[in-house]
Structure formats: C-alpha cells, structure tokens
Amino acid sequence: MRNKLIAKHARPELVTAVSFAGLYLASAIVALAWLRLNRAPPAWDDSWYLSNSLTLYDAWTSGGLLGFAKQFLAALGFKAPLITALPLPFYLIFGRRWHFAFLVNLAAMLALYAAVWSIGNRLRSSRAGLIAVYICATMPLLYGLSRWYMVEYPLAACVAAACWLAIVPQDFTRPWVGVALGIVCGFGMLLKIVFPVFVALPIGAALFRSRSWRALARVAIPCILLAGPWYALHWRATVDYAIASGYGDLAAAQRTGAIFSIAGISTYLGLVAQRGVSSYYLLVAVCAVAVVLLRRQFQTFRRISPLAWWLAPFLIFLFGDNKDIRYIAPLLPAFSLAAACLLDSALERWRLVIPLLLVFPLLSLLAVSFHWPYAAPDAGYASYYDPNTWLHDEIMRVIADSAVVRPGEKKLVLLGTDRGRFNRENFQLTAVQNRLPFEVQATAYEKDWGRLLDLARASSYFIYKQGGEPESPFFNTHAAEFIACLQSSPDWVEIPFGRKLPDGGTAHILRRRD
C-alpha cells in the first residue's frame, strides 16, 4: 500500500520533470538551429563583447589567473564586464571561436526556466510553472535575445534567480539564502549597473518581512566582495555612461517621442506589446484576468501579488528616454508568471483548453525564425535568420596579405561605414578572432572634420561600403564627404576588391601609400 502511494505521488513529479526537460531541450534546439543557419556577423554591442571575451581568454591562457584578473579589471571600462568572462569555460572546452560564446545563453536559459518554474510552483502550481516556462520560451523578446550575445538575456536569468531567492524560501533569514542572494546580486552588478533597479523591491520586501539586519549583511557582503573591486576602478565612467545612454545623446537614436507625451507612451506600449510580450499573450492575459474577476477568485491576485514588485520598474522604462525594448527583458519572466497563474486559475475546470491556446505562439516563433509553416515579419530582436555570408573575413584577409607589419606592431584600419552588419566592432572581432595585427577604428562618432583628417593620417587602411543600407542620420554625418576626400587624395590608393554585399552595397578598401 505504501509503495503504491509513493508511486502515485512520484508520477506527477516525473511528468513535470519530463515536461520541463522537453521545454528546455526544444528551446535550446531551436536556438542552436537558428544560430547554425544564420551567417550574418554579430552587430555592434555583440561584437564588442565577443572581441573582449577573446582578449580575456588570451590573457587567461597566456598569463594565468593574474593575467585574467588584470584584464578583467580593465575590461570594457564603462560597462560591467562579466559578459566577457562568461564564455571562457566554453572556449576552453570547445575551442577559441566566438561562436561558442552563444552557449552562455543556453546556460542562462536553463537557469531562467528553472527559476520561473519554481516561482510558479510556489505561487500557484507545478502546472502554472510549466505554463510560465512555455510563455518565456515563446515570448518574442526573450527567444529573440537568446540568439544575440547581449547582456539582457543572462541578466534576465540573474534577476529571476534573485527573485526566486526572495520569493520561494519559507525562511528568508536562513544563512544560505542570504549568502546565495548576495552572490547572485554580485554577478548581477557585474552584468549591468542597473541590476538593483530590477531586484530592489522584491529583495526589499523580503528583508522587511524578515526584519533581520543579519539577513541584510549576508546579502550585502558577498555582493560587495564580488562587484566592489571592478566598480572601485570604474564606477564614475559607468554611472556617466548609464545616464547618457538612458537620457543623454546616446539615447537619441532610440527615441519614440517626448518622455511624458501621449504619443511617446503609446508608441512604446505598442512596441512592448508587439515585440516584447506579443499581442497574443497580452490578449490571453487580459481575458484570464476578466474570467478570474467574474468568478471572484480574488485569492489568485493575492497569491501573485509578489510579482507586482518585480514588474514595478516597468514605469522607469515607460517614462525613460531610451525606448529600446531589450532593457525590459528582465521583467518579462514576471509577466509570464502572472499570465500563467491567471490562465491556470481561469481554466482550472477546462485544463485541456490551455494547450490549444498555447499553440499559436509556437507557430509564430517558427514563422518568424524560419518562415515555416508560413512567413511572418521580424518582431524586433526576434527575426528570420540571415543566410547570406558577409565579407569580413575576406576583406581582412586581403588587407593582411598586403600589409607589411613589424613584430609587435599593429596597423590602424579605419572604417567609414556604421551599420549593423558592417561596423567597427564586427571588423575588430574578425581581427581578434584571426589574431591579425590590426586595430580597427571608426569614423562614425567623430563630428569634427579636423579629427577625421587626423584619423586618416594615422591609418594604414580605410574600409567603406557604397550603396546598400543607408547610414544612420545620427552617426557618420561626414561619411560621404570624407570618402570623397580620401578617394581623390594622392595619398590613398584603392585595393582591387569591389565585391557585392548582401544588402546590395559594394565593399571598398583603400590603402595609404607608404
């Protein structure tokens, strides 16, 4: 009899474990398939992080822990550097290629899904946890970012882990909870300086309930020990950059209107609905809320009330100047949990309807990512893979073949184009990956004509793209004039190349005469 009871109790746990493993493996396989089919180079920030990760790996393998520590403390300078260190174990196992860095996202995916399931199980049920994991797996912004090497996806996993430690444990004053939370917060701070914005309210509520200064100390000390050394050297530059990117000139390219204007708010909410959570999930959540209210199941709202602290920072981004929706990625797991708990409560008597409601997001994911079973347009960071190979390796190989470089010397290569697939950062990534003796600089952020001429005099090569995707109106404001100046100068000669790029433009290489 006892064995039968144990078997009966274990069966649902086995089903849950198999379902969770299936969801994770399916998400990981889809992400890997997309990455395998995509031939386009990483964009700006991605390439910058990847270049620095290879440099950090080289410092580690050549200089040991001391070399690693020195390079890590100097990394990035005005952005938290942990994103450059995360790929190192994968480089060590699989080889020194930036492509393996995307395995970081698969590890973060597992941590994110595990935290989301556990919180859903605590707030409602195991089934609600699985629904929340499914929503995370098929939400456009989250599955889209899993294919970019950006801070936000690991940050979302780190925030979810911190909220798990603040919500799930029955006794927040237990020493292991505070120490674990402090370690997670230290890693979060090393991912992005705004990490406290996402976790301050959930952790603050847990500390208030515990009324224990020891719990606060257990959280604060590991966090300071982990993040303190880097911030002691770079806090001023990091804070200045964070303010500038959120409200200064760096936010200009992302603006959708005045901060408090109706047009700006409505445009941003539309982007969040379409490219963030998806309009479909928003509609499902609204309908679930209506059903729960009609049934007077108010206990459901009380049980998910801790998620309100997690979602509250959305107001900061709603009224911020920089409207890039990727910044709200750490908040989306909270939405998935709220929607899952409400949906599970609303359809408690008709559970078989839930899988039917969740079919469309999966079809949408496949349609956006692979144009199967139908072709759907891109949804911001969620996009169709690019099957076209760009020419970064070929261009840098042509330059390397023509360059005469002394031992220990680096030639300066100047880039006159600044677009997502053709920019300074992904050319620098090519140089670092292939250990070429080149340092790549860009004209994009120089507005002073005299400074541009100084860059040209210091450079040995100049690369630019003619035609194709036009330049941004915010950067490279002297591009056409500068290119014409070098083309007509007797100090520069064109290296025969002139090959077409996937966007219809033509790549050109100029070499300065010795």
Side-chain angles (χ1 to χ4, degrees), residues 316-503:
I316 297 174
F317 299 97
L318 179 63
F319 298 112
D321 202 15
N322 193 327
K323 300 298 189 184
D324 193 329
I325 64 164
R326 80 171 188 265
Y327 299 137
I328 67 166
L331 304 177
L332 297 191
F335 172 86
S336 72
L337 283 162
C341 292
L342 290 166
L343 187 61
D344 187 51
S345 178
L347 297 177
E348 188 171 12
R349 299 176 184 175
W350 298 280
R351 296 171 184 172
L352 294 179
V353 177
I354 295 177
L356 298 177
L357 289 175
L358 298 179
V359 169
F360 175 75
L362 176 60
L363 294 178
S364 177
L365 180 154
L366 296 173
V368 170
S369 304
F370 305 106
H371 286 182
W372 183 91
Y374 61 92
D378 292 350
Y381 287 93
S383 63
Y384 178 63
Y385 67 86
D386 188 344
N388 300 303
T389 301
W390 290 66
L391 304 176
H392 295 66
D393 286 311
E394 290 85 346
I395 291 171
M396 296 303 283
R397 192 178 302 118
V398 167
I399 292 176
D401 290 343
S402 70
V404 178
V405 184
R406 300 182 183 88
E409 181 186 16
K410 279 194 174 183
K411 296 285 188 180
L412 185 62
V413 177
L414 189 61
L415 199 75
T417 300
D418 188 61
R419 302 312 301 141
R421 304 304 186 192
F422 205 90
N423 57 66
R424 181 261 172 193
E425 281 74 21
N426 49 38
F427 272 96
Q428 182 64 40
L429 175 60
T430 303
V432 174
Q433 174 65 71
N434 295 293
R435 292 192 169 99
L436 299 176
F438 301 122
E439 181 69 32
V440 185
Q441 293 293 336
T443 62
Y445 309 108
E446 293 294 342
K447 297 183 179 180
D448 181 78
W449 181 252
R451 174 60 184 156
L452 285 172
L453 294 179
D454 290 339
L455 278 174
R457 283 188 285 267
S459 302
S460 300
Y461 295 90
F462 179 67
I463 305 170
Y464 68 96
K465 178 172 70 73
Q466 194 169 37
E469 183 185 8
E471 287 290 312
S472 165
F474 299 99
F475 306 109
N476 245 345
T477 52
H478 294 291
E481 184 182 2
F482 186 70
I483 291 170
C485 176
L486 296 192
Q487 284 177 328
S488 61
S489 171
D491 295 332
W492 291 85
V493 60
E494 182 158 0
I495 298 176
F497 188 76
R499 290 177 59 182
K500 285 286 186 181
L501 298 168
D503 69 344

Side-chain angles (χ1 to χ4, degrees), residues 261-343:
S261 69
I262 299 299
I265 292 172
S266 61
T267 301
Y268 181 65
L269 291 176
L271 290 174
V272 171
Q274 296 169 14
R275 301 179 177 183
V277 301
S278 89
S279 301
Y280 182 82
Y281 276 137
L282 194 61
L283 177 61
V284 168
V286 170
C287 293
V289 168
V291 173
V292 170
L293 287 174
L294 288 173
R295 290 184 174 177
R296 300 180 181 275
Q297 297 172 320
F298 301 120
Q299 72 280 3
T300 302
F301 296 104
R302 286 194 295 271
R303 296 179 72 173
I304 67 173
S305 60
L307 299 175
W309 301 118
W310 190 348
L311 287 166
F314 179 73
L315 296 175
I316 297 174
F317 299 97
L318 179 63
F319 298 112
D321 202 15
N322 193 327
K323 300 298 189 184
D324 193 329
I325 64 164
R326 80 171 188 265
Y327 299 137
I328 67 166
L331 304 177
L332 297 191
F335 172 86
S336 72
L337 283 162
C341 292
L342 290 166
L343 187 61

Side-chain angles (χ1 to χ4, degrees), residues 31-117:
L32 288 173
W34 190 95
L35 290 168
R36 182 66 181 85
L37 293 169
N38 185 58
R39 299 297 183 88
W44 292 278
D45 288 359
D46 317 45
S47 295
W48 187 49
Y49 297 142
L50 292 167
S51 296
N52 279 276
S53 72
L54 292 172
T55 302
L56 185 61
Y57 179 76
D58 291 339
W60 179 35
T61 53
S62 62
L65 289 178
L66 182 60
F68 168 83
K70 288 181 177 179
Q71 183 62 35
F72 183 79
L73 289 174
L76 303 189
F78 57 89
K79 282 189 176 183
L82 184 59
I83 190 68
T84 66
L86 294 177
L88 266 57
F90 298 107
Y91 293 156
L92 186 64
I93 296 170
F94 299 107
R96 185 189 176 277
R97 286 182 59 80
W98 59 261
H99 306 78
F100 296 122
F102 287 89
L103 295 175
V104 169
N105 286 344
L106 298 191
M109 183 185 292
L110 180 59
L112 173 64
Y113 289 2
V116 165
W117 176 84

Side-chain angles (χ1 to χ4, degrees), residues 146-191:
S146 70
R147 304 158 188 176
W148 293 63
Y149 195 72
M150 306 282 276
V151 174
E152 279 69 27
Y153 199 84
L155 183 66
C158 203
V159 169
C163 291
W164 174 78
L165 288 165
I167 295 172
V168 172
Q170 298 287 347
D171 185 4
F172 189 76
T173 61
R174 298 175 69 179
W176 75 267
V177 176
V179 173
L181 183 55
I183 293 172
V184 171
C185 288
F187 287 141
M189 288 295 297
L190 287 173
L191 279 171

